[in-house]
Amino acid sequence: MPKETFFNLPEEKRQRIIDLALAEFAENDYDTASISRIVAQAGIAKGSFYQYFENKEDLYNYLLALGTEAKAQFLGSNAPDPQMGTFAYIRWLSEAGIKFELSRPKLSQIGYRAARSGTLPADLQARARVGAAVFFRQLVEQGQAKGDINSEIDPDLAAFVFNVIFSELGGYLLNRLQDEAGLEDGRSLFETAEAKQLFDQILHILEFGMGARE
Amino acid sequence: MPKETFFNLPEEKRQRIIDLALAEFAENDYDTASISRIVAQAGIAKGSFYQYFENKEDLYNYLLALGTEAKAQFLGSNAPDPQMGTFAYIRWLSEAGIKFELSRPKLSQIGYRAARSGTLPADLQARARVGAAVFFRQLVEQGQAKGDINSEIDPDLAAFVFNVIFSELGGYLLNRLQDEAGLEDGRSLFETAEAKQLFDQILHILEFGMGARE
Amino acid sequence: MPKETFFNLPEEKRQRIIDLALAEFAENDYDTASISRIVAQAGIAKGSFYQYFENKEDLYNYLLALGTEAKAQFLGSNAPDPQMGTFAYIRWLSEAGIKFELSRPKLSQIGYRAARSGTLPADLQARARVGAAVFFRQLVEQGQAKGDINSEIDPDLAAFVFNVIFSELGGYLLNRLQDEAGLEDGRSLFETAEAKQLFDQILHILEFGMGARE
Amino acid sequence: MPKETFFNLPEEKRQRIIDLALAEFAENDYDTASISRIVAQAGIAKGSFYQYFENKEDLYNYLLALGTEAKAQFLGSNAPDPQMGTFAYIRWLSEAGIKFELSRPKLSQIGYRAARSGTLPADLQARARVGAAVFFRQLVEQGQAKGDINSEIDPDLAAFVFNVIFSELGGYLLNRLQDEAGLEDGRSLFETAEAKQLFDQILHILEFGMGARE
DNA sequence: GATGAATGAGGATTCATTCAT
DNA sequence: TATGAATGAATCCTCATTCAT
């Protein structure tokens, strides 16, 4: 956790440091990211950094936490009718997740990187991997209980499929839609008819593939 | 490309350098991987390295190329009846791919890392991503022509789904089966009944999800 | 000297600062000892430290003074019959000194370190060395006057011998007795028969070696 | 151990580095001694240092080894009649040791410091302490066997006395004789009549104190 | 063709001290 | 009087690359 010092900083300065650090860790691995670059850009003394944070790992942890918290809030504030079907819910979740990715791309990027890095301080590595997988696992089990998902399917495997598809889908769609539509603001791209259609197709594939078969 | 000097090296020495470099890049990011460590382990002079390769990037490129070539050869030499159905083919491909991962884990790891890194010299980054996607795209289109895949599905999207699932499936299964079966040789794990069943389930999901619907 | 502000501090707080500073300087060299660590542990502000003390050296000086004063008091309050023979007195002094070492190990350690360090601010270095030597010198001269010590012996040299032996003896005995007896409370170790015997031997060596010869 | 690189250096340069490093470690603790200062004074690049030595500790170890080896050689080349009595031998040893201290003061200083430091990497600390103590212990036991030393005296305690006196005696004499005689070359100071007399006195004290008593 | 010494910028982190509040 | 943020130089160490032999 950052030290008190950091939270006592003027809002403006604190935010500047966070933004620059996010940018650094979004563009670089944990090892490659440089505290020196961050402080240089932020215009603060090297020593000051260590009055705000314990060390590099402390900063990194903090950014990661910011990411998950922001995403949780984002999803929470847009939460849909809890009664909806499993696939409808997944669709909502996927869209909302992607919109979050677009509205806070660096915040997303850093968490994303964390799960794949392989050069993180060992404790972080482990923690980074579990989150999403566990969540989807529960979702699948509930879906099977409701009869939305074929209960012969191994729930862990199904969770793997959801996890892997939805964690890459955002990037895929962004690339594709930008190529076709030129450089527009990402957020609006996901409001287009084409985006909707692609979402539909993915959901259909999963629903047909996993749905309960009479 | 490595310089001529490299290819003039005694086979044994050349291979040793390749192996150690593979190990280094398999365990580290591009930035974190260290030429110093490689030459130290290989027992060659620092200067010699720069007579074999232009620079770090040159070596990296070369290893990447080795990886794709080796995989192509591996798949080519085991190729099945070209007449088989699309999903049967994909199933074969997936199994074969995973077996390749297991037989040449470092060679796989480095290509794998490449596609996700984000700290590669910019030109490499782009190149690393396309390969597999293009291949699956063709496969889907053939499948649609044959009537194996529902032709209403966007072929690029379907290729994305295949690509993303099968590039992660190996790791997923390895983790899971090892946890359940204890530490066995990976190769044999994929011959077990449980492995076969999980393969079947994935294929069913995809086949039901994408298959032609009457 | 510490500033007035320091002495105006509530007793409890002042003592806490002293204790923690003692611990830090007992475990570290002058250079290696860290003001940062002291204030962190003491829970006072960095700035406050500099309102109590001029600087690092000022604190160090003060601790050193505390040590010599405490030792003087300790010895004074236990003082034996002033008529006793020189070697009996030295024996008492040595035992008492060692007991002081044990009852205030940090206070002793810091003075001890001071005499040997070589990285002290130059003025301190000199001062640290003299104290004990002068004291033993006087003792030897009195012993010679009384006829307890052979007056052909150079008194300064004899003082050197006493000084050097008795300043190391405590550590030597502690090590040795602990090894033999297991980890007991140091104070009680010096009440054992073995301890007494070793004291006797040292005293005999010195008495035979320096004693008046008929 | 320094790397081959270091031993391949031109004699002149190698010696310059050793001399400057000796000076640095003679004047500073292990922690306080600075690699940066050494390389700056030696006029070599920071990176070059790490081509000569593994790290700070490696250099330190090497200097320590140089010291003990040089001393062993110095003593070996002046070795006396092996038949001489124990105290005569100790007298020779003490004089020779002190002359070595004077001829290579930095080399001595660093070993000396090592035994007392308290802030060394833990492994070194232990090693530094034993050497001399073990040596004197053997000497005492031989002396007792020959009848030169009273066999009722605890040999370990006697070794402690020798060790502690002779490791400080050099410094004591140097201080004292310089004060009395003005600043002369140390080596010649130990040839004066006064020096001889002080040596005699110390030896007499020890011999009378420990000698066999009929 | 092979060598390996030299380089200097860069990495993270700790430090004693100052000074505005 | 007390605070604690700011500072920047200092620490050890690693790196990819060059170049004279």
Side-chain angles (χ1 to χ4, degrees):
Chain A
M1 262 292 134
K3 304 182 185 172
E4 247 191 272
T5 332
F6 181 64
F7 296 109
N8 294 342
L9 244 38
E11 167 65 14
E12 189 274 326
K13 185 172 186 178
R14 208 176 70 237
Q15 198 55 51
R16 181 159 38 96
I17 294 174
I18 290 178
D19 289 342
L20 289 165
L22 272 176
E24 181 72 12
F25 278 98
E27 285 163 21
N28 296 95
D29 283 287
Y30 180 79
D31 287 301
T32 312
S34 156
I35 302 294
S36 295
R37 272 196 298 260
I38 295 172
V39 299
Q41 287 170 9
I44 63 175
K46 223 109 148 267
S48 297
F49 175 86
Y50 286 90
Q51 283 201 304
Y52 305 149
F53 301 94
E54 295 293 345
N55 50 33
K56 192 182 191 179
E57 187 174 341
D58 187 28
L59 165 61
Y60 184 73
N61 262 315
Y62 177 60
L63 297 180
L64 228 45
L66 277 190
T68 44
E69 190 199 0
K71 183 158 186 179
Q73 232 173 42
F74 182 91
L75 295 186
S77 70
N78 295 24
D81 173 4
Q83 302 291 34
M84 76 203 315
T86 301
F87 288 98
Y89 178 65
I90 285 176
R91 179 187 176 129
W92 167 82
L93 196 67
S94 164
E95 281 198 59
I98 289 171
K99 282 174 188 161
F100 175 76
E101 264 185 57
L102 288 170
S103 66
R104 312 291 299 275
K106 285 167 191 159
L107 222 39
S108 307
Q109 175 69 9
I110 181 178
Y112 191 71
R113 208 184 263 285
R116 316 214 168 287
S117 160
T119 43
L120 283 182
D123 49 331
L124 294 185
Q125 180 69 14
R127 194 145 50 85
R129 282 191 188 270
V130 282
V134 166
F135 170 79
F136 276 116
R137 170 79 193 246
Q138 291 170 340
L139 200 61
V140 167
E141 284 168 349
Q142 287 163 13
Q144 290 178 319
K146 281 201 240 174
D148 289 339
I149 294 181
N150 183 344
S151 36
E152 286 172 10
I153 294 182
D154 182 280
D156 206 69
L157 188 74
F160 160 75
V161 171
F162 285 127
N163 191 8
V164 99
I165 288 182
F166 291 119
S167 62
E168 306 274 1
L169 185 59
Y172 169 73
L173 289 177
L174 188 59
N175 264 339
R176 171 162 176 176
L177 297 174
Q178 269 182 348
D179 282 1
E180 290 174 0
L183 281 168
E184 282 183 48
D185 169 49
R187 237 154 317 175
S188 65
L189 281 178
F190 289 99
E191 312 290 349
T192 61
E194 183 171 11
K196 295 231 181 302
Q197 199 198 333
L198 291 170
F199 268 116
D200 281 339
Q201 293 204 353
I202 282 275
L203 265 293
H204 279 158
I205 292 173
L206 294 172
E207 193 162 4
F208 275 98
M210 299 188 184
R213 299 157 199 157
E214 78 292 9
Chain B
M1 262 293 134
K3 304 181 184 173
E4 241 192 274
T5 39
F6 181 63
F7 296 108
N8 294 341
L9 244 36
E11 165 66 14
E12 190 272 327
K13 185 172 184 180
R14 212 176 65 235
Q15 197 55 50
R16 181 158 37 93
I17 294 174
I18 291 178
D19 288 342
L20 290 165
L22 273 176
E24 181 72 12
F25 279 99
E27 284 164 22
N28 296 95
D29 285 286
Y30 180 80
D31 287 296
T32 311
S34 155
I35 301 294
S36 295
R37 275 194 297 260
I38 295 171
V39 299
Q41 287 170 8
I44 64 173
K46 265 285 198 26
S48 298
F49 176 86
Y50 285 89
Q51 289 203 303
Y52 305 149
F53 301 93
E54 295 293 345
N55 50 32
K56 192 182 192 179
E57 186 176 341
D58 186 27
L59 164 61
Y60 185 74
N61 260 315
Y62 177 61
L63 296 179
L64 226 46
L66 278 189
T68 39
E69 187 196 4
K71 183 158 186 180
Q73 231 172 44
F74 181 92
L75 295 186
S77 70
N78 294 25
D81 174 3
Q83 302 292 36
M84 74 200 315
T86 301
F87 287 98
Y89 178 65
I90 286 176
R91 179 186 177 130
W92 167 84
L93 197 67
S94 164
E95 282 198 59
I98 288 172
K99 282 173 187 160
F100 176 76
E101 267 184 54
L102 288 168
S103 65
R104 310 292 299 276
K106 285 167 192 160
L107 222 39
S108 307
Q109 176 69 9
I110 179 179
Y112 191 70
R113 216 183 253 287
R116 320 218 164 291
S117 162
T119 43
L120 286 181
D123 49 332
L124 294 184
Q125 180 68 16
R127 194 144 50 84
R129 283 191 187 270
V130 283
V134 165
F135 170 78
F136 275 115
R137 168 79 194 248
Q138 291 170 341
L139 199 62
V140 168
E141 282 168 349
Q142 288 163 13
Q144 290 179 319
K146 282 201 239 172
D148 289 339
I149 295 181
N150 183 342
S151 34
E152 286 173 11
I153 294 183
D154 182 280
D156 204 70
L157 188 72
F160 160 76
V161 170
F162 285 127
N163 190 9
V164 100
I165 288 183
F166 290 119
S167 61
E168 306 273 2
L169 185 58
Y172 169 74
L173 289 176
L174 190 59
N175 263 340
R176 169 161 178 177
L177 297 174
Q178 269 182 350
D179 282 0
E180 291 173 358
L183 281 169
E184 281 184 48
D185 170 47
R187 240 153 315 175
S188 67
L189 280 177
F190 289 99
E191 313 290 349
T192 62
E194 183 173 10
K196 293 232 182 302
Q197 199 197 334
L198 291 169
F199 268 116
D200 281 341
Q201 292 204 356
I202 281 276
L203 265 294
H204 279 157
I205 291 173
L206 294 172
E207 195 163 0
F208 275 97
M210 300 186 183
R213 297 158 199 157
E214 79 295 1
Chain C
M1 262 292 135
K3 304 182 185 172
E4 241 192 274
T5 40
F6 181 63
F7 296 108
N8 294 340
L9 244 37
E11 166 67 14
E12 190 274 326
K13 185 172 184 180
R14 213 175 65 233
Q15 196 55 50
R16 182 158 37 94
I17 294 174
I18 291 178
D19 289 342
L20 290 165
L22 273 176
E24 181 72 12
F25 278 100
E27 284 164 21
N28 296 95
D29 284 287
Y30 180 79
D31 287 295
T32 311
S34 156
I35 300 294
S36 294
R37 275 194 296 259
I38 294 172
V39 299
Q41 286 170 9
I44 64 173
K46 265 286 197 29
S48 298
F49 176 86
Y50 285 89
Q51 288 204 302
Y52 305 149
F53 301 94
E54 295 293 344
N55 51 31
K56 193 182 191 180
E57 186 176 341
D58 186 27
L59 164 62
Y60 184 73
N61 261 314
Y62 177 60
L63 296 179
L64 226 46
L66 279 190
T68 39
E69 188 196 2
K71 183 159 185 181
Q73 232 172 46
F74 181 91
L75 295 186
S77 70
N78 294 26
D81 174 2
Q83 302 291 36
M84 76 201 315
T86 301
F87 287 99
Y89 178 65
I90 285 176
R91 177 184 179 134
W92 167 83
L93 197 66
S94 163
E95 282 198 59
I98 288 173
K99 282 173 188 159
F100 176 76
E101 267 184 54
L102 288 169
S103 66
R104 311 291 299 275
K106 285 166 193 162
L107 222 40
S108 307
Q109 176 70 9
I110 179 179
Y112 192 71
R113 218 183 252 287
R116 321 218 164 292
S117 162
T119 43
L120 286 182
D123 49 331
L124 295 184
Q125 180 70 15
R127 192 144 51 84
R129 283 192 187 268
V130 282
V134 166
F135 170 78
F136 275 114
R137 168 80 194 246
Q138 291 169 341
L139 199 62
V140 168
E141 283 168 350
Q142 287 163 13
Q144 290 178 320
K146 282 201 238 172
D148 289 338
I149 295 181
N150 182 341
S151 34
E152 286 171 12
I153 294 182
D154 183 280
D156 205 70
L157 187 73
F160 161 75
V161 171
F162 285 127
N163 190 10
V164 101
I165 287 183
F166 290 119
S167 62
E168 307 273 1
L169 185 58
Y172 169 74
L173 289 177
L174 190 60
N175 263 341
R176 171 162 176 177
L177 296 174
Q178 269 182 349
D179 281 1
E180 290 174 0
L183 281 170
E184 282 184 46
D185 169 47
R187 239 154 314 175
S188 66
L189 280 178
F190 289 101
E191 313 289 350
T192 62
E194 183 172 11
K196 293 232 182 303
Q197 199 197 333
L198 291 169
F199 267 117
D200 282 341
Q201 291 203 355
I202 281 275
L203 265 294
H204 280 157
I205 291 173
L206 294 172
E207 195 163 1
F208 275 96
M210 299 188 183
R213 298 157 201 159
E214 78 295 0
Chain D
M1 263 292 132
K3 303 182 185 172
E4 248 192 89
T5 333
F6 181 64
F7 297 108
N8 294 342
L9 244 37
E11 167 66 15
E12 189 273 327
K13 186 172 186 177
R14 207 176 71 236
Q15 198 55 51
R16 182 159 37 98
I17 293 174
I18 290 179
D19 289 342
L20 289 165
L22 272 177
E24 181 72 12
F25 278 99
E27 285 163 21
N28 297 96
D29 284 286
Y30 180 81
D31 287 301
T32 312
S34 157
I35 301 295
S36 296
R37 271 195 298 259
I38 295 172
V39 299
Q41 287 169 9
I44 63 175
K46 265 258 193 61
S48 297
F49 175 85
Y50 287 91
Q51 283 200 305
Y52 305 148
F53 300 94
E54 296 293 345
N55 50 33
K56 193 183 191 177
E57 186 174 341
D58 186 27
L59 165 61
Y60 184 73
N61 261 314
Y62 177 60
L63 297 180
L64 228 44
L66 277 190
T68 43
E69 190 199 1
K71 183 159 186 179
Q73 233 175 41
F74 183 91
L75 296 186
S77 70
N78 295 24
D81 174 3
Q83 303 290 34
M84 74 199 320
T86 301
F87 287 98
Y89 178 66
I90 285 176
R91 181 192 172 124
W92 167 82
L93 197 67
S94 163
E95 281 198 60
I98 288 172
K99 282 174 187 158
F100 175 76
E101 264 185 57
L102 288 170
S103 67
R104 310 291 300 274
K106 285 168 191 158
L107 222 39
S108 306
Q109 175 69 9
I110 180 179
Y112 191 71
R113 209 184 261 287
R116 317 215 167 287
S117 159
T119 42
L120 284 182
D123 49 331
L124 294 185
Q125 180 69 13
R127 193 145 51 85
R129 283 192 187 271
V130 282
V134 165
F135 171 78
F136 277 115
R137 169 79 193 245
Q138 291 171 340
L139 200 62
V140 167
E141 284 169 347
Q142 287 163 13
Q144 291 179 318
K146 282 201 239 173
D148 290 338
I149 294 180
N150 183 344
S151 35
E152 286 172 10
I153 294 182
D154 182 281
D156 205 70
L157 188 74
F160 160 75
V161 171
F162 286 127
N163 191 7
V164 100
I165 288 182
F166 291 119
S167 62
E168 306 275 0
L169 184 59
Y172 169 74
L173 289 176
L174 188 58
N175 264 338
R176 170 162 177 176
L177 297 174
Q178 270 182 348
D179 282 0
E180 291 174 359
L183 281 169
E184 283 183 47
D185 169 47
R187 237 153 318 175
S188 64
L189 280 178
F190 289 98
E191 312 290 351
T192 62
E194 183 173 11
K196 294 232 181 304
Q197 199 198 334
L198 291 169
F199 267 116
D200 281 340
Q201 293 204 352
I202 282 274
L203 264 294
H204 279 158
I205 292 173
L206 294 172
E207 193 162 2
F208 275 98
M210 300 187 184
R213 297 157 200 159
E214 79 290 10

